[in-house]
Amino acid sequence: MEFLKTATRKTIIEAIIYAVIGLFFIIMPNIAIDVIGKIIAVTILAIGIVETILYFLNRDYENGQRGSFAFGIVAIIVGVFLLIKSTVAADIAGYILAFIIIVSSVLEFQYALDLMHFKSKNFIASLIMGVIGLTLGIIALINPFSATKTLMIVIGVSLVAVAIFTFISAMLFRACLKDMKAETPAIEGEVEVIEVTTENESE
């Protein structure tokens, strides 16, 4: 039960993060394009530099964990390229965020199945939210829009929607857990009564 509570808290934190990122994309789509492109480029560049440095610092060829020189150089080249062509990085980020939206929506289906397992009628709400989120994620992935700015706004709206759906699902699941917890003492009481009755009969 404690594990489920922890998972619910993490889900709420994830929803808040999705909402913040989504609002950033909606309010400042042009800046979001530039920022996310640079973040991806700098991240790949940093990985390449670290891998290259590790290669020269650790020359133990029997150590399988040492950095790869070839991978490091390739990552540096890709990072520099994406810094110069930030729009390419933004397009890549768009696909990544679309996949995140799709995965989060699939998790909504998991919430629906969990609620169904606990015989909660709220599973229908989670199921509907999962379908809506999945649809938005597929639209963002296909990207039928001609302007990148429009795509960023759509992704932002999708992230905010997923954040709201995730938060609602977490609340529904938490309510389900509370109902289960409330029913547990009653069940234990019934077991005690049965045990006492059995003892009295045996006497």
Side-chain angles (χ1 to χ4, degrees), residues 9-35:
R9 292 192 199 101
K10 289 181 179 179
T11 302
I12 293 173
I13 293 172
E14 289 175 5
I16 294 171
I17 293 173
Y18 289 157
V20 171
I21 296 174
L23 289 173
F24 176 60
F25 274 59
I26 295 170
I27 297 171
M28 295 179 287
N30 290 327
I31 296 176
I33 293 170
D34 185 56
V35 168

Side-chain angles (χ1 to χ4, degrees), residues 63-109:
N63 185 359
Q65 299 299 321
R66 67 190 184 88
S68 170
F69 178 75
F71 175 77
I73 295 300
V74 171
I76 290 172
I77 294 172
V78 173
V80 171
F81 172 77
L82 292 178
L83 275 175
I84 298 171
K85 299 285 187 180
S86 58
T87 54
V88 176
D91 290 337
I92 295 172
Y95 288 113
I96 294 173
L97 290 171
F99 274 114
I100 290 174
I101 293 168
I102 290 172
V103 170
S104 298
S105 301
V106 172
L107 288 175
E108 286 295 329
F109 290 112

Side-chain angles (χ1 to χ4, degrees), residues 165-185:
F165 295 160
T166 302
F167 181 80
I168 292 174
S169 293
M171 292 297 99
L172 293 175
F173 200 71
R174 176 177 286 184
C176 184
L177 291 177
K178 286 183 179 179
D179 292 340
M180 289 175 59
K181 190 175 181 180
E183 291 175 1
T184 302

Side-chain angles (χ1 to χ4, degrees), residues 124-195:
I124 298 176
S126 289
L127 191 62
I128 294 172
M129 290 186 290
V131 171
I132 295 173
L134 185 61
T135 303
L136 291 172
I138 292 173
I139 291 173
L141 185 64
I142 296 173
N143 185 16
F145 314 103
S146 57
T148 308
K149 178 181 177 180
T150 306
L151 175 62
M152 292 297 111
I153 294 174
V154 170
I155 290 176
V157 172
S158 301
L159 285 171
V160 172
V162 167
I164 294 171
F165 295 160
T166 302
F167 181 80
I168 292 174
S169 293
M171 292 297 99
L172 293 175
F173 200 71
R174 176 177 286 184
C176 184
L177 291 177
K178 286 183 179 179
D179 292 340
M180 289 175 59
K181 190 175 181 180
E183 291 175 1
T184 302
I187 294 173
E188 291 177 351
E190 291 178 3
V191 173
E192 290 179 359
V193 170
I194 293 171
E195 289 179 350

